[in-house]
Every structure is written in structure tokens, then in C-alpha cells.
Amino acid sequence: MTDTRTPVTVLTGYLGAGKTTLLNRILTEDHGKRYAVIVNEFGEIGIDNDLVVGADEDVFEMNNGCVCCTVRGDLIRVVAGLMKRQRPGKPAFDAIIVETTGLADPGPVAQTFFVDEDVKAKTRLDSVTALVDAKHVMARLDDSKEAREQVAFADRIILNKTDLASEGELVAVEQRLRKLNPLAPITRAMRANVPLDQVLGLGGFDLERILDINPEFANPPHGEAGHVHDEHCGHGHDHDHDHDHHHGHHHPHVDRVDSVDGVSGARGHDHGDDIRGISLSLDRPMNGAKFTAWLDRLLGEQGQNILRAKGIIDVQGEDRRLVFQAVHMILEGELQRDWGVKERRWSRAVFIGRDLDEAALKAGFEGCAA
Ligand SMILES: Nc1nc2c(ncn2[C@@H]2O[C@H](COP(=O)(O)OP(=O)(O)OP(=O)(O)O)[C@@H](O)[C@H]2O)c(=O)[nH]1
């Protein structure tokens, strides 16, 4: 069955990470596709729109400031408007890219594509891509909850500005990113020069694709127990030259220190990331009713803290795989295709969130065994 809905990529990334740079590439590269870009302006005056080159008619603005619940309506209106446009024989756009402001929590934007019926019928959330500034991200992860949430939330991470960091620094950044988000593949880039097929049309919101494209998922980060050295781990060609040149551009917002869960952000030391991913698995079949009840209760009680949850469950007495996806409290589950004859039947799930109690999650998950 072909999905005719227009794929939507939500682009996040802290202030100055390179989002506009990437959008400009998407809009100017010769790919024969037509993309619509929705930019969310921080404040009344459209700045980002003017920074996005060319293609004026394909850039749409939302001017409601920070992306939060009030912006949802605005986004729904813009998307609905785009869907009314026509091209002969095909949808008006091959894909839609929604840029969030650097300080936004990507949750509400992603949720928009699950809650509004009209939007749901015409579009599908393809992936949430986070751009990360290789030079500044460590400090941002220390001092900004938004920066941590953007990383934790992403289906794909583009580690941009690799020209501004040494190989050693890049490896350290990658380790920390993987700790926050064990699922998202990390692609290195300069001037956001990633192949567009790694950003658009990714199917990133589909758990299986994520597991397929990120075989590193099961491999603990370099330097940690159980890590298997392979071509991805980046050791052995450690140049470590000092890349600390000053590149002229100074972003006015970059020095802001955000309060982190009520504690003022401190710099210069690692006070640990409160957001992390917990992976669970079980080799015995699950009781479907028990599992659904447990998941409902869990999201009801802790949905604020659970940024993302995804899983494939082996339900007793069911030939099909139960696949679920949650964004905070919004849960979607469906019985997908049959388990393959040679496929290993097992249940696995990932919870990415804040202050998660790993032992309780594990006990709850395993308690659903049939
Ligand atoms: N050295 C270097 N600079 C880069 C790279 N990518 C982007 N830049 C520069 O970094 C600055 C910020 O990039 P933007 O694309 O405007 O970042 P943004 O995420 O849109 O920023 P906001 O809209 O303020 O959140 C610009 O001056 C870019 O030219 C890179 O890979 N290396």
C-alpha cells in the first residue's frame, strides 16, 4: 500500500546550530522536488524567512513566538492551507519541513501531526531531525534543558560544524549524544552538507527503520564496557589539532544560561544528564491486555517526563507485531505485519525521558509477560 500523505520533517536544533543553512540547501539544491518550508519566528519580526534564500513562495511563517500549545493552531492552519494547493496529478509538495525556533520543545510540534484529524489525513510525520553545533553543544547540554530535549527527541542527529572541533572532541560529543539518545543515528556535517535523503523521506518515525539504519544501537559508546570497535567509533585517526579559531560569527543568544529544572545552569563541569534512554527487552511473549494497561498507566502518570517511547511487542496468541509510538502522553499503537518465519520473536522498547526509574520500568515491562 502506498502512503500518499505528504511527509513532514521537523527540524530542531539549538540557536545557531545551522538550521537556516540546511533549509537553504534544501530549497536551492537541484533535486527536482518541491518542498515547503514552515519557519517559526521567535517574535514579531520575520528574520528567518529573510535568511532563507530564493524560493519565497515556498516559505511560510508562523509569527506566534515560541512553539507551544498556542502555536499548534497556527501550524495546523498553515499545513491545512498548504494541503489545499494543487499540482496536476500529485500533491502540491513532495515534503514539508517545519523549522522550530532554537529554544522550542519539539514535542508540541510533533504532536500536531498526531492530534488534528485533517492534518493526520494528509500528512505524516516523517522524522524529527536535530542539528547540533559540534563546537558549542557540550556547554548547551550542560546549561539548557531545551538543548537536551531536542537531542533526546530526535530520530536523526546531524552533528554540524565539524570543522570547528577536533576529532577527539567530536568523539566525546558523539558519546554524550548517544547517552541521551541511543536510537538516533548521528551524521557528521559541515555547513549542514548531509545528503538530503538522510533528512527527508527517512521514515524516521518508524521504529523498525530506526533499528535498521542504526545497527550501532546495540553497541555501547566508545570507551564504555561492551563497546565493539568498528569503523564507526572514530578512534585511531585522532588528529586532535587545535581548532579553536574564532570565526567571526557570534550569535547573540548563544551565551544565555537557562534554568535547568529550577537549578540555574552551571558551566564547566558535567552535572550529568537527567534525560536518558532506557532500553528494555523480553524474550517471552507478552499478555497484550496487561501490556496496554501498563503502558496507558505509565504514560498517564509519567507522560510529562517521557519524551519519546517506541517499541515492538510480541503479543501472545497474535501473529502480528504490536508496534507502539508515544510522544509524551499521546500514544499510538497498531498491529502491523506478521512476524517473519525466521524472525526472532521478542519484545523491545525504548523510553527516552527525564528522571526515569529504570528498575521500575524494567519490572513493569517484564511484569506484562503472559
Ligand atoms: N564554521 C561553520 N559555520 C557554520 C556551519 N554551519 C553553519 N555555520 C554558520 O553558523 C551560523 C549559524 O547558522 P544558521 O544556519 O543561521 O543557524 P540557525 O540554527 O538557523 O540559527 P538560529 O536561527 O539563530 O537558531 C551562520 O553564520 C552559518 O554560516 C559549519 O558547518 N561550520
Side-chain angles (χ1 to χ4, degrees):
M1 193 184 71
T2 348
D3 194 337
T4 55
R5 292 173 299 168
T6 305
V8 177
T9 297
V10 174
L11 184 62
T12 73
Y14 211 73
L15 297 163
K19 298 179 294 296
T20 308
T21 307
L22 178 60
L23 290 178
N24 282 335
R25 288 202 41 233
I26 291 173
L27 289 173
T28 54
E29 228 168 65
D30 188 16
H31 39 55
K33 298 267 170 67
R34 182 149 188 235
Y35 298 123
V37 168
I38 301 174
V39 292
N40 179 236
E41 289 291 359
F42 197 74
E44 307 260 308
I45 314 161
I47 294 171
D48 274 4
N49 194 359
D50 294 336
L51 295 177
V52 178
V53 293
D56 248 7
E57 53 161 359
D58 293 339
V59 180
F60 306 88
E61 256 178 81
M62 296 187 297
N63 275 88
N64 280 15
C66 198
V67 177
C68 60
C69 302
T70 57
V71 171
R72 242 191 234 162
D74 212 17
L75 180 56
I76 289 168
R77 257 193 315 281
V78 173
V79 172
L82 292 184
M83 292 296 104
K84 288 208 188 83
R85 296 174 168 225
Q86 300 286 330
R87 263 190 315 185
K90 49 183 175 178
F93 297 97
D94 294 293
I96 297 172
I97 301 108
V98 184
E99 183 203 0
T100 65
T101 63
L103 288 173
D105 169 2
V109 178
Q111 283 173 346
T112 304
F113 296 92
F114 290 113
V115 293
D116 185 82
E117 289 304 323
D118 278 350
V119 168
K120 249 166 78 173
K122 305 245 171 56
T123 63
R124 68 181 166 79
L125 184 57
D126 183 69
S127 78
V128 177
T129 293
L131 266 155
V132 164
D133 175 335
K135 172 92 186 144
H136 296 112
V137 66
M138 288 299 221
R140 294 292 76 77
L141 293 176
D142 281 345
D143 66 32
S144 157
K145 185 172 134 218
E146 288 85 1
R148 290 195 294 277
E149 288 190 346
Q150 287 172 356
V151 167
F153 210 86
D155 296 298
R156 166 167 297 268
I157 296 169
I158 297 167
L159 182 55
N160 192 37
K161 305 199 188 182
T162 50
D163 56 315
L164 301 183
S166 68
E167 179 62 27
E169 285 165 341
L170 293 175
V171 170
V173 167
E174 282 164 348
Q175 277 180 17
R176 184 146 179 213
L177 296 175
R178 283 214 186 97
K179 222 178 246 170
L180 279 168
N181 185 338
L183 280 183
I186 302 170
T187 309
R188 293 186 183 185
M190 257 183 262
R191 305 266 157 210
N193 64 342
V194 282
L196 291 189
D197 63 5
Q198 290 192 11
V199 185
L200 304 169
L202 197 67
F205 230 75
D206 175 36
L207 179 67
E208 189 170 21
R209 273 293 307 272
I210 283 190
L211 293 176
D212 283 349
I213 57 186
N214 187 12
E216 283 289 285
F217 174 52
N219 191 9
H222 187 74
E224 289 192 2
H227 172 80
V228 178
H229 295 287
D230 58 20
E231 75 276 14
H232 301 295
C233 64
H235 63 99
H237 33 83
D238 226 311
H239 307 301
D240 252 319
H241 22 237
D242 184 10
H243 270 285
D244 202 9
H245 342 273
H246 287 281
H247 270 256
H249 174 85
H250 177 76
H251 207 288
H253 317 286
V254 157
D255 285 326
R256 116 185 226 150
V257 177
D258 289 296
S259 134
V260 181
D261 294 333
V263 185
S264 188
R267 296 203 187 186
H269 71 118
D270 186 350
H271 51 67
D273 293 316
D274 48 351
I275 296 177
R276 64 193 182 120
I278 293 171
S279 308
L280 304 167
S281 66
L282 189 68
D283 265 318
R284 278 172 298 153
M286 294 260 192
N287 175 315
K290 251 195 215 171
F291 177 76
T292 315
W294 172 72
L295 192 60
D296 276 338
R297 200 171 55 243
L298 180 72
L299 294 174
E301 286 167 7
Q302 293 182 49
Q304 291 295 356
N305 286 340
I306 296 174
L307 296 169
R308 288 288 283 274
K310 318 175 183 193
I312 299 176
I313 305 299
D314 174 15
V315 176
Q316 188 178 48
E318 176 57 61
D319 292 332
R320 289 166 296 175
R321 314 176 332 154
L322 173 66
V323 174
F324 76 90
Q325 281 270 4
V327 176
H328 288 296
M329 289 167 193
I330 297 176
L331 173 67
E332 289 207 328
E334 64 173 334
L335 286 164
Q336 264 195 353
R337 64 162 176 83
D338 284 4
W339 290 94
V341 186
K342 291 196 183 135
E343 192 175 4
R344 176 175 168 203
R345 278 186 78 133
W346 61 316
S347 300
R348 63 218 122 120
V350 176
F351 292 85
I352 296 174
R354 212 178 290 127
D355 303 321
L356 298 180
D357 180 342
E358 182 165 6
L361 277 176
K362 188 166 186 294
F365 186 77
E366 291 175 1
C368 299

